[in-house]
Amino acid sequence: MTSTTRPPAAPDCPSPRSCLLETIRAIEPWDALERTHVETATQWVTGGAPLYRVRKPDVPATHLVSYFVVLDHGRGQLLLVAHRKAGLWLPPGGHVEPDEHPWAAVVRECREELDLEAVASPITGEHPFFLTVTRTRGEGPHTDVSLWYLLDADARTVTSYDEREFAAIRWLTAEEVLEEPAESLDPHMHRFTQKLQHTRTGGQR
């Protein structure tokens, strides 16, 4: 789980679908739920369903998302944003464009939402650390298949954010994230944080 010597994020695959499948299969599940989500996502990709959102908010009903969790290693803090539409504290991120590699979506969204160059964490490289399959709430409910990436940044370099999408940003330690009420966060944020803690401490629970 802690290897930093993986192959490049965009291998020479015959198609975006096969690249995505390789990316999903390389994720080491944290728990039974993530294992189920990886299996669900794998079946979704291999089944030939459309992968990318083509019309907001819910066409097709299931589509691909790239989240990115920004970590300040020195301070041990994670960046969360108050997402206006969701009404929750979430990692930044967005929908993957048609035939776009999920890591390329991270680079694009990081620039658009935080005016920041995406620097992959040495923990993961340009590979997703976590995967979730989530039914959204609110207008136009749909299912997000979300790849969670980990980025490296000094908190002092994050000086702006997209105020159209986010009402505020916060830097929290892993312990502070786990103290937040689950209903105020992405429904899988606590599990992501536990997986990250486990990885950063060398597998000590």
Side-chain angles (χ1 to χ4, degrees):
M1 186 182 296
T2 58
S3 171
T4 59
T5 58
R6 299 179 183 179
D12 185 18
C13 302
S15 70
R17 188 177 295 270
S18 62
C19 281
L20 177 59
L21 191 59
E22 286 189 18
T23 297
I24 291 171
R25 286 175 170 168
I27 296 170
E28 183 177 343
W30 162 243
D31 55 14
L33 181 56
E34 188 174 14
R35 187 171 297 107
T36 297
H37 285 181
V38 167
E39 292 170 356
T40 298
T42 299
Q43 292 170 3
W44 171 64
V45 174
T46 58
L51 303 176
Y52 310 103
R53 188 180 72 175
V54 295
R55 189 168 73 246
K56 298 181 180 180
D58 58 353
V59 179
T62 300
H63 45 256
L64 189 63
V65 169
S66 284
Y67 264 162
F68 53 93
V69 179
V70 183
L71 171 64
D72 183 320
H73 284 273
R75 293 177 170 83
Q77 293 178 320
L78 307 174
L79 176 68
L80 293 180
V81 299
H83 196 280
R84 294 185 184 276
K85 288 185 179 179
L88 298 171
W89 288 94
L90 309 170
H95 294 86
V96 181
E97 299 292 339
D99 294 334
E100 183 180 37
H101 193 277
W103 171 253
V106 169
V107 173
R108 175 178 54 78
E109 292 282 352
C110 191
R111 187 180 302 114
E112 292 174 0
E113 296 184 346
L114 300 178
D115 193 24
L116 187 70
E117 178 185 357
V119 176
S121 168
I123 295 173
T124 57
E126 297 175 3
H127 301 268
F129 178 70
F130 193 57
L131 182 146
T132 58
V133 179
T134 309
R135 186 70 177 169
T136 66
R137 64 186 194 182
E139 184 179 354
H142 55 274
T143 299
D144 283 343
V145 177
S146 301
L147 299 171
W148 297 51
Y149 289 81
L150 191 62
L151 302 185
D152 192 13
D154 186 321
R156 292 170 295 186
T157 66
V158 182
T159 58
S160 64
Y161 57 91
D162 186 348
E163 297 184 13
R164 296 168 299 178
E165 288 202 44
F166 311 141
I169 63 174
R170 298 169 70 191
W171 290 91
L172 300 174
T173 64
E175 292 75 16
E176 288 170 336
V177 171
L178 294 174
E179 290 172 358
E180 288 289 307
E183 59 270 18
S184 70
L185 305 171
D186 178 282
H188 304 289
M189 192 68 214
H190 280 175
R191 293 175 49 250
F192 169 88
T193 304
Q194 289 164 347
K195 184 177 184 179
L196 180 60
Q197 280 185 313
H198 176 78
T199 300
R200 294 190 76 207
T201 57
Q204 299 298 316
R205 288 185 182 262

